[in-house]
Amino acid sequence: RCKHSTLSVPTTEMLRNICPVVARAAGRLTAPARRPAPSAFAAAANSRPFSSEELVPGVGKGKTSTGLVGLPVDHDAVPKMITKYQALLDKMAASDMPEGAQYRKNVTAIAEFRIKAANENLNDPEAVEELCNCGQVEELVQQADNEMIVLDMYLRNRWWEYVKDNVVIEHNPDHEADDDGREWDEPLEKNTA
């Protein structure tokens, strides 16, 4: 029974005139399609001020989420990458770590490659991500921060002194055949070479 009617069984016509909500719910009357009125906000959301370039949702300046919890979008990530990776190179150059240390070679190669990719694609973070192939630009900035922490530890502990050069690595799935009698908690020996 319709709450707006005194009849016990309302007719379809009564429903249309008296209780359109119930009629729509019953599928007898469809609501007219409503289009939102154009607003200045909607127009501004799809374009940048002082630019003829249109924003594409999810790409470049239109990116609203990294999709990673705790990692917000950073529209200035590419310039930050250049600064942070250059800081890694500068810190290694100012240190007493030998240029032949494998860690230094690896970090230098990665940092120089990422700086080059970022410099060549300052306004195209997607191209930087594609070239580096190690995540989103926000993640690459985070990786530079994390590498700086590792570099500080590496320099403080002078770990290059414990790395032996030209070590031949053999893979033998039989772990008992690889047992050289050393315990894992024994202190490391410094490289004498």
Side-chain angles (χ1 to χ4, degrees):
R1 184 177 165 166
C2 182
K3 70 179 182 178
H4 300 291
S5 172
T6 57
L7 297 174
S8 58
V9 180
T11 63
T12 304
E13 189 60 36
M14 291 173 108
L15 284 175
R16 285 189 180 140
N17 294 333
I18 298 173
C19 194
V21 174
V22 174
R24 273 195 296 279
R28 294 190 174 108
L29 181 69
T30 57
R34 293 184 183 166
R35 299 182 76 179
S39 68
F41 177 76
N46 290 326
S47 66
R48 293 189 312 200
F50 309 112
S51 175
S52 60
E53 190 178 325
E54 221 177 285
L55 284 180
V56 178
V59 178
K61 295 287 182 186
K63 184 177 180 180
T64 59
S65 172
T66 61
L68 302 170
V69 175
L71 187 62
V73 171
D74 184 357
H75 294 295
D76 297 319
V78 176
K80 284 181 184 176
M81 274 180 61
I82 296 168
T83 303
K84 290 175 185 271
Y85 282 106
Q86 188 60 52
L88 282 168
L89 294 174
D90 295 344
K91 188 166 207 158
M92 283 189 296
S95 73
D96 60 343
M97 185 191 318
E99 289 186 21
Q102 192 61 49
Y103 175 76
R104 183 171 180 163
K105 290 179 194 176
N106 294 345
V107 172
T108 300
I110 291 169
E112 287 175 348
F113 179 80
R114 290 181 179 181
I115 289 170
K116 181 180 178 215
N119 278 326
E120 291 174 355
N121 299 286
L122 278 173
N123 295 319
D124 191 357
E126 287 77 22
V128 175
E129 294 169 359
E130 184 72 28
L131 286 169
C132 293
N133 197 24
C134 282
Q136 299 177 43
V137 287
E138 292 85 356
E139 290 176 284
L140 296 172
V141 169
Q142 196 174 52
Q143 289 169 21
D145 291 337
N146 293 339
E147 196 63 53
M148 184 61 82
I149 293 167
V150 173
L151 178 60
D152 288 338
M153 287 189 302
Y154 205 87
L155 294 173
R156 183 177 57 248
N157 296 315
R158 303 180 62 84
W159 284 340
W160 64 87
E161 294 176 352
Y162 297 95
V163 177
K164 295 183 174 145
D165 295 331
N166 302 323
V167 175
V168 177
I169 299 173
E170 296 178 16
H171 174 70
N172 187 345
D174 182 9
H175 65 87
E176 291 189 18
D178 284 340
D179 187 13
D180 61 0
R182 266 189 7 175
E183 295 296 324
W184 285 104
D185 57 353
E186 288 180 19
L188 294 173
E189 297 171 15
K190 279 193 176 182
N191 204 3
T192 56

